[in-house]
Amino acid sequence: MSNVVVFGAGGTAGSRIVVEAYQRGHRVTAAVRRPEAVTYLPAGVRVVTGDATSERSVQELAPDADALVVAIGGGDRELWRDAAATIVGVLRDMPAAPRVVHVGGGATLIAPSGGRFLDEPDFPAEYRDAALGQAAALDLYRSSADGVTWTYLSPPPLEFHPGQRTGHYRTGTDHPVVDGQGRSVLSYEDLAVAVVDEIENPRFGNARFTAGY
């Protein structure tokens, strides 16, 4: 049993990660900006006010945690890098810091052309700020997270939607995992499985990985 803190626990990915971790017997703290609005999580989950970009929040929640999950969302391009920088800055000074599992963006994966999906000419403009923010967070972990154990999980770049929990998936590193039809697909529910699997049995320390069917 681990103590798991999930930042962004009220969101599409975060809420499923909370449920998956709780149902597998972990002690879960759901960190959200407005606890009064989060009434749909399991009764045994501790819901607190928390913000991954707040040094004070991270300082308050990290000491009792074995893993910090970053599953935040929003329209601010700087959000994800700010969260990564805040968490790394706090954990670097802790003698026994929890590990970080950051749910990142699929647009940072490598496209068939050899560049990142976010750099493709036809990449949707409405997703560009979020993609650049997640790319900046990944760059920060890779370049500036000395002394911190982190994992960055990218979902598929396109076909990633709420769906069914199968409990099955395959993993890759910087290229999307594709099926026999060349599709890279994963449900939010199985993304949550991959996150909790990585917490329970770490395989991608200080690295990015991706998952798909």
Side-chain angles (χ1 to χ4, degrees):
M1 180 185 293
S2 295
N3 290 324
V4 180
V5 173
V6 181
F7 286 103
T12 306
S15 61
R16 286 161 171 79
I17 294 166
V18 166
V19 170
E20 180 71 23
Y22 179 75
Q23 290 181 342
R24 285 161 66 166
H26 299 288
R27 290 184 290 268
V28 184
T29 297
V32 296
R33 293 186 177 183
R34 295 177 56 235
E36 69 278 4
V38 181
T39 59
Y40 42 84
L41 298 177
V45 171
R46 176 185 173 222
V47 181
V48 302
T49 301
D51 180 352
T53 66
S54 165
E55 186 175 291
R56 179 176 177 180
S57 283
V58 178
Q59 288 172 336
E60 290 176 347
L61 294 171
D64 295 327
D66 298 302
L68 295 182
V69 178
V70 182
I72 58 177
D76 182 358
R77 175 172 165 177
E78 303 301 323
L79 175 67
W80 294 276
R81 187 192 182 284
D82 288 349
T86 300
I87 288 171
V88 167
V90 172
L91 299 193
R92 188 184 282 131
D93 294 331
M94 290 181 60
R99 63 179 310 211
V100 180
V101 180
H102 183 115
V103 179
T108 59
L109 294 168
I110 304 302
S113 66
R116 301 176 301 180
F117 278 91
L118 69 90
D119 296 321
E120 295 290 284
D122 59 350
F123 187 79
E126 62 267 30
Y127 301 129
R128 187 162 182 77
D129 277 353
L132 288 170
Q134 288 283 24
L138 178 57
D139 288 345
L140 185 142
Y141 285 119
R142 285 173 165 169
S143 65
S144 307
D146 297 343
V148 176
T149 301
W150 60 271
T151 298
Y152 185 106
L153 171 55
S154 288
L158 296 174
E159 297 189 63
F160 177 49
H161 309 286
Q164 299 298 314
R165 182 194 185 281
T166 71
H168 301 287
Y169 58 90
R170 294 177 295 130
T171 61
T173 52
D174 290 327
H175 294 81
V177 175
V178 298
D179 62 17
Q181 289 71 50
R183 297 171 62 199
S184 181
V185 184
L186 190 70
S187 69
Y188 274 89
E189 288 74 10
D190 282 329
L191 177 91
V193 174
V195 168
V196 181
D197 283 350
E198 180 64 18
I199 291 170
E200 293 180 345
N201 298 292
R203 293 191 296 150
F204 298 97
N206 297 342
R208 185 260 288 281
F209 80 103
T210 186
Y213 297 127

